[in-house]
Amino acid sequence: MEIKKIAIDRVTLADAAYAQIAGGVLSQDLRPGTRLLMDELAEALGISRTPVREALHRLEMERVIEPHGRRGYVVRELSDSELDKQYEGRAAIEPYVLAEVARRGGSAAAFLRHAFEELVELPQTTAMEVFQVNKAIHRATVEALDNEFLLRMFDVNWQTGIGIRVWADILEKGQAVNFADSHRSLVEAAESGDADLARRVVQEHIYAGRGLHPLHGPHSAL
């Protein structure tokens, strides 16, 4: 994994360190079992240990890594059980959300369309960029409802390291996921005004994502 020195700008050093380490997990440069030592990371990144410590603590809370030895961590292995629960969480929230956006229509559907058109233009050249853009369009379906409780539930599910590891495994399998093609149907379903159609489209989308994971076949149950 190539680690570059971090330039100080509006992004905090801890955020920048987090992005580089999480990006390494996504790209599989940092595979399960890889040891992460705070001092070595700080030296490689060209920053002090404090922001690295904050980044590692965040990744530990998100269950991307786990403690291993003094001042060290290892990248966690993703279990089938964890993956099951993550997709169950998505299946409980996202079909309801898109169905409600379709039922309301109007500004809710327009919000999702606007978000989609903006996200299509964003760069998707790195694993982290692909992950962030895909997460953003699903989050936009919830934002369209202006419901902070649903949004918190969404964030709990997607902000964990499980979401990152799912994408890491999908990318490792070599699956080409075209953002526009794979998410346009969600936007069109929201604009259709048909809540049942919207619910069905996002359920199929979730099942398709589950099938891309190398540990699970397409017929695994959610």
Side-chain angles (χ1 to χ4, degrees):
M1 174 185 177
E2 181 183 358
I3 296 182
K4 303 175 182 177
K5 290 189 181 296
I6 296 172
I8 298 176
D9 57 16
R10 290 178 299 177
V11 177
T12 70
L13 291 177
D15 287 341
Y18 170 90
Q20 287 227 38
I21 299 169
V25 175
L26 271 170
S27 66
Q28 293 286 1
D29 288 325
L30 299 175
R31 303 181 65 83
T34 301
R35 288 201 68 193
L36 302 174
L37 298 177
M38 189 183 306
D39 291 342
E40 291 181 0
L41 287 169
E43 182 178 356
L45 293 168
I47 58 178
S48 70
R49 291 189 308 184
T50 299
V52 174
R53 184 185 300 112
E54 292 177 16
L56 291 173
H57 179 66
R58 177 178 169 187
L59 288 161
E60 180 186 3
M61 295 296 291
E62 294 178 353
R63 304 180 71 187
V64 179
I65 62 177
E66 59 188 4
H68 186 274
R70 189 181 178 194
R71 292 184 177 176
Y73 293 84
V74 293
V75 179
R76 291 182 68 250
E77 181 68 71
L78 175 65
S79 72
D80 288 5
S81 175
E82 289 174 303
L83 185 67
D84 291 341
K85 292 173 183 177
Q86 201 260 0
Y87 273 95
E88 285 171 1
R90 290 191 61 188
I93 298 170
E94 295 181 39
Y96 166 79
V97 166
L98 197 68
E100 185 64 13
V101 173
R103 187 188 69 78
R104 295 186 188 184
S107 60
F111 178 91
L112 184 57
R113 167 60 71 177
H114 179 72
F116 174 76
E117 298 298 343
E118 286 193 337
L119 291 168
V120 166
E121 300 300 321
L122 293 181
Q124 297 174 60
T125 57
T126 69
M128 180 57 77
E129 287 171 348
V130 171
F131 172 72
Q132 294 290 359
V133 168
N134 277 271
K135 181 180 74 174
I137 187 60
H138 287 278
R139 195 175 195 274
T141 65
V142 188
E143 292 175 314
L145 297 182
D146 191 27
N147 185 320
E148 65 272 24
F149 297 101
L150 282 173
L151 198 57
R152 288 175 193 169
M153 293 168 64
F154 176 91
D155 285 341
V156 165
N157 201 33
W158 272 82
Q159 288 294 117
T160 65
I162 296 174
I164 292 177
R165 287 305 317 282
V166 167
W167 271 99
D169 288 333
I170 288 173
L171 293 170
E172 181 188 32
K173 193 179 179 183
Q175 293 286 344
V177 181
N178 182 287
F179 171 78
D181 290 345
S182 61
H183 292 86
R184 184 176 288 107
S185 62
L186 303 183
V187 180
E188 292 174 348
E191 294 172 329
S192 72
D194 186 333
D196 290 335
L197 172 65
R199 184 179 295 106
R200 184 168 65 253
V201 166
V202 75
Q203 285 174 337
E204 292 173 353
H205 182 85
I206 292 171
Y207 273 106
R210 174 64 171 275
L212 291 176
H213 197 281
L215 298 180
H216 295 263
H219 301 298
S220 298
L222 273 175

